[in-house]
Amino acid sequence: MTTIRQLFIDEAKFGKGTAKGPWFGELPVPRGGDFDFAFISDRTGGAVHKMFEKGLEAAKKLNPDFVVSIGDLVEGYWTDEAEAREEWDRIDPMLAGLGVPVFQTVGNHDYGTEAMIRVWRERKGVDYYAFRYGRTLFLVANTETAPLSLPETMLELMQQANRALIRNPEALFVDLFRDLAGDGFSADVLKMTEDTLIDPHLSGEQIDFFERVLADNADVDWTFVCLHQPAWKKPDPIFERLESLLADRPYTVVSGHVHYLEVTEKRGRQYIQMGKTGGLHCFEGKGDIHHILSVKMRGGVPRFEVILLEGEGGTDTLDAYVKKAAESR
């Protein structure tokens, strides 16, 4: 048994002794080898009224040692720093008041413009980090180092729709967007495919940092890699370098972004693309669900359970969402 609990910061980039970070609360002292935690996924892209709050409450009821957010907690894409701050002022108290430590992964909505990046750094400091809890290691990456390039007209429409959604949170984002776009609206504008939606950008400096952390924590039983975008779905030598560093250890990769729960089995490991925790409907199929993910570490190995948030709720197995080779959406 080990009682190690430690945060790792890239001091070469962020400096020593930084007090700021994208987390709320402090990790409890590990009680022994076994512990529980939960993943929450995307809230945004047009948040469904009160669904994220329902997800937080469901996570709290699990009595976990901590919660990990996989990104996209604010609608974001603001070009005005004041609007970015105001939105974080509404979301951060939810996380701080949960009564359970929360660790954030940065998402494209959180970090998608120069103004959003400045506000993130001002409030939360670091955009990638790692932490260890007992004999489990967490690498929390930033897949958004190159902000998405959006036409100014699209960016302004998104901001107008976001403002309208803040005023009327029970409205549907698509309806607001359609009303604002007027006669020029085409539903095709909001249609997405994985090919156009997924565009991760990690950085070499992150992998350098994770390489040092992995070397210093070679004794852990399991490693989790937390990404916002599912970087394994696009050829990326930077992510492939991270995979090579993990090759000789048990690990699980968890992402969000696509709003569709799907598990890819690769290299004998599970790569989990979470659905949504209040975010916009994007794709049809079994994985189009609002949920959180319960993780029970038992004997150094994770056991997953999908906690459903819609209708009567309930649970499901993660195996039900494993992508078979012939499957397509």
Side-chain angles (χ1 to χ4, degrees):
M1 288 192 297
T2 179
T3 57
I4 294 174
R5 51 170 181 162
Q6 187 172 0
L7 275 165
F8 304 98
I9 305 298
D10 189 351
E11 294 181 347
K13 178 172 181 179
F14 301 113
K16 290 187 177 182
T18 178
K20 291 189 295 186
W23 50 75
F24 295 89
E26 184 178 345
L27 285 168
V29 176
R31 298 183 299 272
D34 295 343
F35 66 94
D36 300 345
F37 70 100
F39 282 105
I40 58 175
S41 192
D42 300 44
R43 171 188 168 271
T44 56
V48 175
H49 186 52
K50 294 296 184 181
M51 186 64 73
F52 180 71
E53 291 85 339
K54 188 174 182 179
L56 289 180
E57 187 61 29
K60 186 172 183 176
K61 284 180 179 178
L62 296 173
N63 194 30
D65 290 83
F66 54 89
V67 170
V68 178
S69 161
I70 218 67
D72 276 5
L73 296 185
V74 292
E75 299 294 349
Y77 282 105
W78 302 112
T79 51
D80 182 339
E81 291 180 30
E83 289 186 293
R85 291 188 190 99
E86 286 172 6
E87 193 172 11
W88 280 117
D89 284 346
R90 288 187 291 272
I91 297 302
D92 281 346
M94 293 186 195
L95 307 179
L98 187 61
V100 177
V102 179
F103 293 84
Q104 290 179 252
T105 308
V106 68
N108 56 295
H109 283 257
D110 309 322
Y111 208 75
T113 64
E114 291 302 323
M116 296 299 298
I117 291 171
R118 287 193 295 270
V119 171
W120 178 279
R121 290 175 177 168
E122 167 194 297
R123 297 174 74 103
K124 302 174 185 292
V126 305
D127 55 89
Y128 63 89
Y129 59 102
F131 66 95
R132 175 170 174 164
Y133 194 67
R135 296 183 61 85
T136 304
L137 184 64
F138 295 79
L139 308 180
V140 185
N142 178 2
T143 58
E144 314 307 318
T145 60
L148 296 179
S149 179
L150 293 171
E152 277 192 37
T153 52
M154 173 65 77
L155 194 59
E156 180 54 35
L157 277 173
M158 288 176 64
Q159 291 179 36
Q160 289 181 43
N162 287 345
R163 293 181 193 112
L165 190 63
I166 288 167
R167 291 192 301 269
N168 181 14
E170 296 187 46
L172 294 177
F173 181 86
V174 174
D175 293 340
L176 295 170
F177 193 95
R178 180 188 295 110
D179 291 343
L180 289 163
D183 293 339
F185 175 81
S186 169
D188 291 339
V189 171
L190 295 178
K191 283 184 179 177
M192 290 167 281
T193 66
E194 280 201 352
D195 188 58
T196 58
L197 185 63
I198 300 172
D199 188 25
H201 293 275
L202 289 148
S203 63
E205 66 182 354
Q206 292 181 63
I207 311 307
D208 292 341
F209 167 68
F210 292 143
E211 182 174 18
R212 296 192 296 271
V213 172
L214 287 165
D216 291 342
N217 294 272
D219 62 322
V220 298
D221 296 322
W222 207 274
T223 299
F224 285 91
V225 180
C226 307
L227 311 168
H228 179 62
Q229 294 199 42
W232 66 90
K233 291 192 168 184
K234 287 286 181 76
D236 182 357
I238 296 178
F239 180 68
E240 289 163 8
R241 181 184 159 208
L242 179 57
E243 287 182 305
S244 70
L245 294 172
L246 293 161
D248 295 329
R249 63 172 66 204
Y251 70 87
T252 302
V253 183
V254 183
S255 79
H257 187 61
V258 181
H259 299 196
Y260 190 93
L261 177 56
E262 181 179 87
V263 182
T264 301
E265 294 183 341
K266 182 182 181 185
R267 299 170 176 249
R269 278 78 167 184
Q270 287 188 319
Y271 289 58
I272 303 168
Q273 173 187 280
M274 289 187 70
K276 50 200 187 289
T277 309
L280 178 73
H281 161 80
C282 291
F283 297 102
E284 300 283 352
K286 181 176 177 62
D288 177 31
I289 57 172
H290 292 282
H291 74 102
I292 63 172
L293 195 61
S294 169
V295 188
K296 297 181 182 297
M297 296 300 298
R298 298 293 182 266
V301 177
R303 301 176 184 173
F304 298 97
E305 188 172 52
V306 179
I307 310 297
L308 305 170
L309 300 178
E310 297 169 280
E312 297 298 318
T315 63
D316 205 349
T317 66
L318 192 61
D319 289 344
Y321 300 89
V322 172
K323 180 182 179 182
K324 305 299 188 295
E327 283 181 358
S328 62
R329 288 200 299 279

